[in-house]
Amino acid sequence: MTKLTFAKTFKAMAAALAVTLAAGGVTEAQAAYNMRVYSSLPGDEQSSHYVWFKHFEESLKAKAGDEIKLHYFPNGMLGKEADACQQVKMGAIQLMISGTSIWATLVPEIGVLDLGYLFNNFDEVGAALDGKAGEKLGSMLQKKAGVAVLGFGYNLGARNIYTKKEIKTPEDLKNVKIRVLPVPTFIATFEAMGAVPIPMPGGEVYSSLQMGVIDGVEHDAPTVLSSKYYEQAKFGYRTHHVFNPIVAVMNQNLLNTLPDNLKTAVMEAAREATAAERATAVEAEAKAFEALEAQGVKFTECPDGTFTEAVKPVWEDFIAKYPDTKEILDSIVSAQ
C-alpha cells in the first residue's frame, strides 16, 4: 500500500469513525485525525496502560490542539489482544498499549523480555529499553509487525506469586498450579521453578481460583488488588521473577503520513508520557503492597537468586530458537 493510498484509506476510516461517534452523541468531525487506542486493561489508575494513555492524551492535546483526537477503548472492547495486534499492523486500529508479551505472536524475539530473572529492578528495564536492546526490538517490531514504538513503559510492579496456601520455601512451590500468561517463556520459567503452569485468559482467573482449578496466580500487585484476586489467594510469595514492560505502538504507515508538526507532537508527547508513567509505576507498586496487606494478604520474601540457576536453561533454549536475541540478551546483562 502506497503512502498516498494509505492516507486516503485512513482519512476515510477516520470520517466513518466520526460518523459513528456522532451517532453516539459525540461529534469529532473537526479533528483532522481520529485515532482509536486499544487496551486490554480497565480504564482506571490501577492500569499501567491507562496511566500512560492519560499522560499522552494531555500532552498531545497541548501540542497538537484538536488536530488529533484519541478515542480510548479499554477492557479489550475492540477484540482479543492477539487480534488487535493484527488490526494495528493493518491500520484498522491506530494505536495500542499492551504488555510486550502479546507482540510475540508477530515478533517472537520480543519474548526475550519475559525471560525469568532477566532484570533485578525497573531501573535496569529502563536502561535496557532506552539503549541497544530497545533499539533492536523496536526495529524488529517495525519490520515484522509494521508498528512504530512510541515508548516502553513499566508494568505497575514486578510479577510475584499469590496462592491459596502459604509458600514459605522454594520446595513448597513444587506441583502448585499457577496461572501464567499464555506465553511460552512464562510456561517454561514456571516449569523450571517446579510449579505447574496453567496458561489461561485473565478473565477466567478469579473463578478458577474460586473453584480450585488453579492454586494461585502470578501478577503485579496493583493488578492483584484491582482484580480482587486477594479474596481467593491470601498468601504472597515475593519472587520478583519478571519485570516485563509495557509498550505503546502506532501503525507505522500512519505515523509516516502525518505532517511533520503532528509527527513531532506525537513523539514528544509519547516521550513525556513514558517518563511520567514510569515514575507512577514505582509508586503504585508500594501502595498496592500496603493495600493488599491491609486486606489480609501475608507476604513471604523469596531470597534473591533462589531460582536464577534453575531458569538459565530457559534462556539457552530461547537463544537457540531465536539467535538474533543473543545480542539483545548480552547487552541487557552486561549493563547490569
Side-chain angles (χ1 to χ4, degrees):
M1 183 182 292
T2 66
K3 290 184 178 180
L4 181 60
T5 302
F6 179 84
K8 290 180 178 179
T9 301
F10 175 75
K11 287 185 177 180
M13 291 168 56
L17 177 60
V19 171
T20 301
L21 291 166
V26 180
T27 302
E28 301 295 350
Q30 292 182 350
Y33 294 88
N34 283 284
M35 302 185 187
R36 298 194 293 176
V37 185
Y38 178 97
S39 168
S40 63
L41 298 181
D44 60 41
E45 297 298 330
Q46 296 296 330
S47 161
S48 56
H49 301 181
Y50 184 74
V51 172
W52 191 96
F53 170 75
K54 289 304 295 180
H55 285 297
F56 179 66
E57 182 181 49
E58 292 168 7
S59 181
L60 187 59
K61 173 74 173 178
K63 298 176 189 303
D66 293 327
E67 288 294 298
I68 298 175
K69 182 65 178 178
L70 304 174
H71 306 282
Y72 193 63
F73 292 87
N75 289 317
M77 291 171 61
L78 299 180
K80 296 179 180 179
E81 267 194 314
D83 295 336
C85 291
Q86 292 285 355
Q87 293 295 304
V88 179
K89 180 180 181 179
M90 293 186 297
I93 296 173
Q94 291 73 47
L95 288 91
M96 179 171 175
I97 310 167
S98 68
T100 54
S101 307
I102 193 63
W103 285 100
T105 57
L106 295 176
V107 187
E109 291 88 349
I110 202 167
V112 69
L113 298 175
D114 294 327
L115 291 174
Y117 297 97
L118 178 61
F119 299 106
N120 298 300
N121 52 60
F122 272 118
D123 286 340
E124 293 181 357
V125 177
L129 295 179
D130 292 340
K132 291 182 180 179
E135 182 180 347
K136 183 79 172 176
L137 290 169
S139 178
M140 289 178 173
L141 282 165
Q142 181 179 343
K143 291 177 181 177
K144 295 188 176 184
V147 298
V149 172
L150 299 183
F152 287 104
Y154 297 163
N155 263 306
L156 302 185
R159 299 180 83 94
N160 295 289
I161 297 171
Y162 296 82
T163 52
K164 301 174 76 169
K165 293 183 178 180
E166 188 172 9
I167 304 294
K168 294 181 178 180
T169 68
E171 289 71 28
D172 292 340
L173 192 59
K174 291 188 183 300
N175 300 319
V176 176
K177 294 177 291 184
I178 304 293
R179 180 267 175 176
V180 301
L181 288 174
V183 176
T185 45
F186 272 83
I187 295 170
T189 294
F190 271 80
E191 287 176 342
M193 293 168 69
V196 178
I198 308 292
M200 68 171 59
E204 298 176 13
V205 174
Y206 189 95
S207 60
S208 294
L209 283 169
Q210 198 171 35
M211 294 185 293
V213 175
I214 54 177
D215 304 314
V217 61
E218 56 87 36
H219 227 306
D220 60 85
T223 298
V224 173
L225 182 64
S226 64
S227 301
K228 297 186 177 182
Y229 297 152
Y230 62 85
E231 293 180 348
Q232 302 297 325
K234 287 292 187 181
F235 298 97
Y237 192 42
R238 286 204 268 229
T239 49
H240 309 289
H241 51 274
V242 170
F243 288 81
N244 59 331
I246 66 169
V247 63
V249 302
M250 184 175 188
N251 176 275
Q252 182 69 60
N253 286 333
L254 169 59
L255 183 63
N256 291 344
T257 61
L258 290 179
D260 287 344
N261 65 312
L262 293 185
K263 187 184 300 184
T264 298
V266 166
M267 298 310 295
E268 288 182 354
R271 281 193 291 271
E272 292 173 6
T274 299
E277 189 278 334
R278 288 181 180 184
T280 300
V282 175
E283 298 173 0
E285 181 180 44
K287 292 179 180 177
F289 277 138
E290 291 180 2
L292 287 170
E293 288 176 335
Q295 292 291 340
V297 176
K298 180 181 178 182
F299 285 97
T300 299
E301 201 72 29
C302 178
D304 292 343
T306 299
F307 295 105
T308 302
E309 290 305 313
V311 302
K312 281 299 173 64
V314 180
W315 291 27
E316 294 166 1
D317 290 346
F318 190 84
I319 294 171
K321 192 171 184 179
Y322 305 108
D324 287 346
T325 61
K326 186 179 188 308
E327 180 184 349
I328 297 172
L329 190 60
D330 289 344
S331 71
I332 291 173
V333 174
S334 63
Q336 294 175 0

